[in-house]
Amino acid sequence: TTDLYPTRQAAQPTVLDRTEPVVHGSAGDGPFDAAGLADLERTGYAQIPDLVTADEVARMNAELERLAQDPKVLDDERTIVEADSVADIAVRSIFQVHETNEVFRAIAHDPRVVDRARQVLGSDVYLHQSRVNFKPGFFGKDFSWHSDFETWHAEDGMPTPRAISVSISLTDNYTFNGPLMIMPGSHRKYVSCVGETPDDNYKQSLVMQGAGTPDRAVLEEFAQTYGIDVLTGSAGGATMFDSNCMHASNGNVTPFARSNVFLVFNSVENACVEPFAAPTPRPDFLGARDHTAI
Amino acid sequence: TTDLYPTRQAAQPTVLDRTEPVVHGSAGDGPFDAAGLADLERTGYAQIPDLVTADEVARMNAELERLAQDPKVLDDERTIVEADSVADIAVRSIFQVHETNEVFRAIAHDPRVVDRARQVLGSDVYLHQSRVNFKPGFFGKDFSWHSDFETWHAEDGMPTPRAISVSISLTDNYTFNGPLMIMPGSHRKYVSCVGETPDDNYKQSLVMQGAGTPDRAVLEEFAQTYGIDVLTGSAGGATMFDSNCMHASNGNVTPFARSNVFLVFNSVENACVEPFAAPTPRPDFLGARDHTAI
């Protein structure tokens, strides 16, 4: 497969134009209307208030809490634990929950979610990745700026950015508790990063980003050009965002924890091949190797 | 002197009512009108847009930049350096600038600032502390929740919270670059903290807070009761806030750095005595021992 989005190969960062559209379907294909699709094409994201009910939020939060205390889950390599100090330990992410857990399997296959993903991607879709995220209060960690697609391309072999993430909020997102930040419009540019991918990079990069980190001068220019949108909203709402959005989140010292369900849909016409810039593909729980349509 | 606000003495945190007013003067005494004073009494803070001009902001930023590169300043104990990694080093604060630097001496004595402090405190005032702060982009550090007065009382011997801080913004404060957060109304309560003050606690506490940390259960209750205000605003504006406000700031992963001039005025009728919960007073550059009125 031709590498349309080379990264981690050159000594200098470069910025390429994205050649594919963001939205592949049309208003006739599903829940988004024409204005909603146009906004998504332009900004790279869409906010969907009240995607799920308060009851569903409560059920998913209870399930997340139960999982975070299950010794088997804690011992699983698909569970990422955040430790600020001996006293401050929290489960940050549990991956592949659409396969291991009935509650999260259901939401990952729910038409409210999948129909929107199919509409945007203009084809059948499959789950490239799923996880539940928990950002604790008082010591929630930040995530520095990155494009998910850059990692999925380099390390999972995703050919083009024909993939979209759905983040369903299980808590209220305020400006002050470390919400998602997106540089609107940045998804139309691809930042080719410097540095090679080390072996088993994911073990390190799930905790702190190394390879795949955009150059700071590029980020400064992007921030001036695109600005930064802070994505606030109530529990039960969702954000869908293009795989190539430049995004980040600050830490959280407030008492208000944040949690969400995170689902990544890829087009079956964009199924992953061999990694473009890594010795071997990441494990299945980070980037699915089974591309069967939902 | 009677200890009206005991702290760092008991094994359990307690919350006491504040007995003194916040505002000691009246509208006839100075720049704030009656509504402004009432807001300050109620919320614990006041925002003053355009306190200084764009030219003054530029001059102070240039001076801050010059100081942060002066080897003598870098080597001074009054300069606090923040190091995230070998590559990410930044001067975070330079203390006592109202005595060491002409530009900052001038603003610390400027009537636009001092008249407001006198009006709120209802008396002549002196500078308890001054500093310039710089929160870098990409790796700016957070500050966890605390009341300044708790530290000034415990470690500097400030009898009551008849002191007010003025923070003059030298950069724009957005919701996303780690701005000041205040729990409005929290200044009417005093959180007595647990734990003794170690010797020379300031050397540690300037980098990461230890003694004087409010209990998390208390902070959760405060957050529910008071909520959190995020103080945004343009460069040149100022925030004045009561010494007993519960405040914090998140880290900053955005490219937008933040800097400000920070001036603490204390009433001459509230001059510091011996520390209420520390073996010896902190150095003069953190808490002035000379209480001569401006």
Side-chain angles (χ1 to χ4, degrees):
Chain A
T1 312
T2 312
D3 186 354
L4 297 171
Y5 294 100
T7 189
R8 309 190 194 182
Q9 291 165 27
Q12 294 298 322
T14 49
V15 177
L16 307 173
D17 286 324
R18 175 197 188 121
T19 48
E20 297 81 11
V22 177
V23 174
H24 294 255
S26 62
D29 300 332
F32 283 113
D33 62 18
L37 293 177
D39 275 353
L40 176 57
E41 180 79 44
R42 183 175 54 81
T43 62
Y45 70 86
Q47 288 196 280
I48 306 148
D50 302 318
L51 184 80
V52 300
T53 66
D55 279 355
E56 291 177 298
V57 167
R59 201 173 319 135
M60 288 193 270
N61 264 324
E63 193 65 6
L64 171 51
E65 199 165 320
R66 193 184 66 73
L67 290 176
Q69 287 169 12
D70 180 336
K72 257 204 288 200
V73 173
L74 287 172
D75 204 38
D76 195 297
E77 67 161 346
R78 292 169 293 188
T79 302
I80 311 298
V81 172
E82 177 171 308
D84 187 54
S85 68
V86 178
D88 290 336
I89 296 176
V91 168
R92 190 168 89 188
S93 297
I94 306 170
F95 282 88
Q96 214 172 23
V97 285
H98 72 288
E99 293 198 358
T100 59
N101 182 280
E102 189 45 43
V103 171
F104 296 116
R105 194 206 65 76
I107 190 67
H109 291 78
D110 191 289
R112 290 168 291 181
V113 173
V114 182
D115 286 353
R116 286 181 165 87
R118 285 198 193 100
Q119 181 184 21
V120 172
L121 302 180
S123 69
D124 273 337
V125 298
Y126 71 94
L127 277 157
H128 178 69
Q129 185 189 95
S130 74
R131 61 182 194 264
V132 284
N133 293 316
F134 178 74
K135 182 179 282 204
F138 298 111
F139 62 98
K141 219 181 82 49
D142 56 38
F143 284 82
S144 49
W145 297 96
H146 64 286
S147 150
D148 288 333
F149 171 66
E150 194 275 345
T151 294
W152 299 338
H153 182 69
E155 304 191 28
D156 299 337
M158 187 181 284
T160 71
R162 191 173 171 183
I164 194 153
S165 299
V166 184
S167 173
I168 304 170
S169 300
L170 301 183
T171 47
D172 293 340
N173 292 309
Y174 304 99
T175 61
F176 52 68
N177 65 341
L180 179 63
M181 302 186 286
I182 290 180
M183 294 186 183
S186 62
H187 62 301
R188 311 305 308 259
K189 298 286 180 183
Y190 177 76
V191 182
S192 177
C193 299
V194 302
E196 274 185 52
T197 312
D199 283 352
D200 286 345
N201 179 51
Y202 73 92
K203 288 179 185 169
Q204 160 65 14
S205 70
L206 291 177
V207 179
M208 191 189 295
Q209 208 175 13
T213 303
D215 184 72
R216 284 188 183 168
V218 171
L219 291 173
E220 282 174 1
E221 191 198 306
F222 269 40
Q224 292 297 337
T225 304
Y226 301 114
I228 294 173
D229 284 355
V230 177
L231 279 65
T232 55
S234 298
T239 300
M240 290 184 73
F241 63 104
D242 181 81
S243 59
N244 192 46
C245 282
M246 191 61 74
H247 65 290
S249 66
N250 278 316
N252 177 22
V253 299
T254 78
F256 299 100
R258 284 179 68 239
S259 53
N260 57 60
V261 184
F262 198 88
L263 306 166
V264 179
F265 294 95
N266 191 21
S267 167
V268 293
E269 299 170 12
N270 190 41
C272 289
V273 296
E274 287 306 297
F276 289 90
T280 50
R282 297 191 302 172
D284 203 54
F285 73 86
L286 293 171
R289 308 308 297 177
D290 177 352
H291 310 135
T292 313
I294 289 173
Chain B
T1 313
T2 312
D3 187 355
L4 297 170
Y5 296 99
T7 189
R8 309 189 194 182
Q9 292 165 26
Q12 294 298 322
T14 49
V15 178
L16 307 175
D17 286 323
R18 175 197 189 122
T19 48
E20 297 80 12
V22 177
V23 174
H24 294 256
S26 62
D29 300 332
F32 282 114
D33 62 18
L37 292 177
D39 275 354
L40 176 57
E41 181 79 43
R42 184 175 53 81
T43 63
Y45 70 87
Q47 287 195 282
I48 306 150
D50 302 317
L51 183 80
V52 299
T53 66
D55 279 354
E56 292 176 299
V57 167
R59 200 173 321 136
M60 288 192 270
N61 265 323
E63 194 65 6
L64 170 52
E65 200 166 318
R66 193 184 66 73
L67 290 175
Q69 287 168 11
D70 180 337
K72 258 204 288 202
V73 172
L74 288 171
D75 205 38
D76 195 297
E77 68 161 345
R78 292 169 293 189
T79 302
I80 310 300
V81 173
E82 176 170 307
D84 187 54
S85 69
V86 178
D88 291 337
I89 295 175
V91 168
R92 189 168 90 188
S93 296
I94 306 171
F95 282 88
Q96 214 172 23
V97 285
H98 72 289
E99 292 199 359
T100 60
N101 182 279
E102 190 46 41
V103 171
F104 297 114
R105 193 205 66 76
I107 190 67
H109 291 77
D110 191 289
R112 290 168 292 181
V113 174
V114 182
D115 286 354
R116 285 180 165 89
R118 284 198 194 102
Q119 182 185 18
V120 173
L121 302 180
S123 70
D124 272 337
V125 299
Y126 71 94
L127 277 157
H128 178 68
Q129 186 190 95
S130 74
R131 61 183 196 262
V132 285
N133 292 316
F134 178 75
K135 182 180 279 203
F138 299 111
F139 62 98
K141 219 181 81 50
D142 56 39
F143 285 82
S144 49
W145 297 95
H146 65 286
S147 150
D148 288 333
F149 171 65
E150 194 276 344
T151 294
W152 299 338
H153 182 69
E155 303 191 27
D156 299 338
M158 187 181 285
T160 71
R162 190 172 171 183
I164 193 152
S165 299
V166 184
S167 173
I168 305 170
S169 301
L170 301 182
T171 47
D172 293 339
N173 292 310
Y174 305 99
T175 60
F176 51 67
N177 64 341
L180 179 63
M181 301 187 287
I182 290 180
M183 295 186 183
S186 62
H187 63 300
R188 311 305 310 257
K189 298 285 180 185
Y190 177 76
V191 182
S192 178
C193 300
V194 303
E196 271 184 55
T197 312
D199 283 350
D200 285 344
N201 179 51
Y202 73 93
K203 289 179 185 168
Q204 160 65 14
S205 71
L206 290 176
V207 179
M208 192 189 293
Q209 209 174 12
T213 303
D215 183 73
R216 284 190 183 166
V218 171
L219 291 174
E220 282 174 1
E221 191 199 308
F222 269 39
Q224 292 297 338
T225 305
Y226 300 113
I228 295 173
D229 284 356
V230 177
L231 278 65
T232 56
S234 299
T239 300
M240 290 183 74
F241 63 105
D242 181 81
S243 58
N244 192 45
C245 282
M246 192 59 75
H247 65 290
S249 66
N250 279 314
N252 177 22
V253 300
T254 78
F256 299 99
R258 284 179 70 238
S259 53
N260 57 59
V261 184
F262 199 88
L263 305 167
V264 180
F265 294 94
N266 191 22
S267 167
V268 293
E269 299 171 12
N270 190 41
C272 289
V273 295
E274 287 305 297
F276 289 91
T280 51
R282 298 191 301 172
D284 203 55
F285 73 87
L286 293 170
R289 308 309 297 177
D290 177 352
H291 311 134
T292 313
I294 289 175

